[in-house]
Amino acid sequence: MPQGLLGIEELDRAEIEAILARAKDFQPIQHQSFKKLDTLKGKLIVNLFFEASTRTRTSFEIAAKRLGADSVSITASGSSVSKGESLVDTVNTLAAMRPDAIVMRHAASGAPHSLARHLAIPIINAGDGTHEHPTQALLDARTILDQRPKLEGLRVAIIGDIAHSRVARSNVHLLSKFGVDIVLCGPASLLPQELARIAPGVTLTNDIRGAIRNADVIMMLRVQLERQHEAAFPAGEYFQFYGLRLEHLALAKPDAIVMHPGPINRGRELASEVADFQRSVILNQVENGVAVRMAVLERIVGQNVAAAH
Amino acid sequence: MSPLLIKNGRVVDPASNYDRNADVLVENGRIAAIGPHLSSMAADILDATGLIVAPGFLDLHVHLREPGQEHAETIETGSRAAAAGGFTSICAMPNTSPVNDSATVTSYIVDRARKFGVANVFPIGAITKGSQGVELAAIGSMKNAGAVAISDDGAPVMSARVMRRAMEFARSFDLPVIDHCEDLTLSAGGDMHEGLHSTRLGLRGIPSASEDVMVARDIMLAQTTGARFHVAHLSTRGALRMVADAKKQGLPVTCEVTPHHLSLCDSELAGYDSNFKMKPPLRSKRDVAALIEGVASGIVDAIATDHAPHPGSEKMQEFEKCPFGIIGLETALGVVLEKLYHPGKIGLMRLVELFTAGPARVLHLDRGRLAVGSPADLTLFDLETEWTYDVNRSYSKSKNSPFHGKTFRGGPVATVVSGQVVWRRE
């Protein structure tokens, strides 16, 4: 990973395993009273968020700080982007201030990829449009592995607005590389048939019960109202057919876990009782976000720094 | 102007099915003689040994951006690029600013082309006022001012009723209706072909159906009205099948295909490079294969470039914000040689036809053939010399080409317009 992290699709299994293992090393630090390392001391990381984000941006900021790096966060509304500066010019301006990495979120698919072609500074993709969100998939894998000895052989159901979900794409690529049986489920208009060919081990269904049956992991996606440019399903029918309710959980494996990348919409894709369900690991995901992003930052920015532990 | 004698070339003229080594003598801007061992005391000699001497290439589909978008291209720069691509005649699409929807704008283009054009420029008038799709443009007056066809390219007529009226009217003026076939309600928001690659890249798709339904509609309307209907930049296998059926039924339906749709597919979008973003989008591998078959089997009437200049600043944005379109005049012959001629899909006669007699027939235009007395527009090209395309040296004002850095085998060598050599390979 010499040039940042743009997506999961192009990573190999060994690289993913290395990041996940390193993230496990960082987990205990989150519980210490003194949480700061000096691995990336003197390094500067810029978080450049062209799209609203609370948890991802905060998580990256905390990860950078816990590694001893300085971090600066810029959001689109407060930057020159709102003054009409182009994306390339904004990023070139920031690059001239010599950060060691740019963490970037953008509403346009491929925005970090086209920038990476012009830039010598590593870019870490914190979500690009409806394409990929690699650190989310890594933290999801870390969370599953905290509950299960390995990914191989698991059955993971991903349910919701798959078409518009970068979380789904990154998860599919990651889980597929580990031989997971992946079931994608959603209304037909949000579940393009081509998804079945996007990676090995993927099947599609429009039936939430079929998707959940025997699942080890149920991953719910947010209904992305901001990405729907038209009505893709009849108003009011989403929760009725694709909302996760407690009764559904009986179809899954007895120890199945429920995940959600957040922010959750109680009553829209998830019944409130499910969000608070004892085998819901939604907050574990958030916690693992910091450890995983520490592992990613260390790997990309700290290439010349000896491992801290 | 002194006469020009083009010596020792292989003269290929599909209109007269002529293919032999011969000389071509040009006098007063017209072809004076074609045959072996011609001589003329006064003539300048152009040695065409080892070269193909063909009728001047005609491109049915070019955006010259003048008037109104001269920062992207002008009649002068666009026609220079055309000449460097072997084109002696180009048809200018009407989506300028203002739109070419009146005799005034048509005359302006004709006038500017006479003064600054290096190649012949044939304007295409709009179908509707402002290409808004509502009221018919001044079709008859534009024809009188020099328009050779009508089209709302880029802003296709969505109302079937308006299209029907346009076809009826165009028929009475013997003008073909060229349609950019795209149902805008199906393609809305799309950035690339809808398929596995758009799904993988998280880019919104433009389904094949958005093209197919409009080709179907227009064929029905051509049948109803008797108008000549020409499909611009046909890109799907479904549309090709419908055109083939229409031709079988004897309907006056024709189509063109671009070099990029014959050579590139949607997997090229993997790097989010906007030089691969155009409308119609690069389709699937299966569509590309079908189009190549369609050219080989004779369903396709013409190769047209859809040369669409956009300045670098517009193409250097987020992919979804970048405008659609690429330049293509200078690379068209190289691409077609590589994808169709060298692999043996088509022979030399058919290759030349696709650039000459084919497009001339679409427009009922007296161009694209070599006959004594006809305008001396000639394209000289070779089949073997390797050359590499450097877009930074393009004559076009814009540099948005997916073929930058590509090496071609064979290409244009010299371009003659009205008896004058307007471009020669260095």
Side-chain angles (χ1 to χ4, degrees), chain B residues 62-131:
Chain B
V62 174
H63 297 273
L64 292 175
R65 307 295 188 217
E66 185 178 354
Q69 299 132 4
E70 287 86 352
H71 62 292
E73 195 77 288
T74 63
I75 287 169
E76 181 177 356
T77 57
S79 65
R80 275 192 196 287
F87 292 97
T88 59
S89 295
I90 47 181
C91 298
M93 280 294 174
N95 60 336
T96 45
S97 183
V99 169
N100 179 14
D101 59 1
S102 69
T104 314
V105 182
T106 306
S107 301
Y108 176 83
I109 293 166
V110 168
D111 183 53
R112 296 286 292 179
R114 197 170 289 140
K115 285 184 186 134
F116 302 105
V118 176
N120 306 300
V121 175
F122 294 103
I124 294 172
I127 297 174
T128 60
K129 278 189 186 167
S131 288

Side-chain angles (χ1 to χ4, degrees), chain A residues 9 87-88 106-111 113-114 117-118 128 130-131 169 192 194-195 197-198 229, chain B residues 185 194-204 270-274 316-321:
Chain A
E9 187 176 5
L87 174 62
V88 175
H106 200 289
S109 298
H113 303 70
S114 37
R117 278 203 300 273
H118 306 285
D128 66 316
T130 56
H131 178 221
R169 278 175 184 70
E194 290 82 6
L195 281 165
R197 294 188 289 137
I198 200 170
H229 305 271
Chain B
T185 65
E194 181 178 298
L196 174 62
H197 294 288
S198 66
T199 303
R200 170 180 283 142
L201 294 170
L203 291 172
R204 281 184 284 166
Y272 297 92
D273 180 348
S274 65
M316 282 273 284
Q317 307 177 74
E318 294 86 323
F319 189 87
E320 60 186 41
K321 285 190 189 167

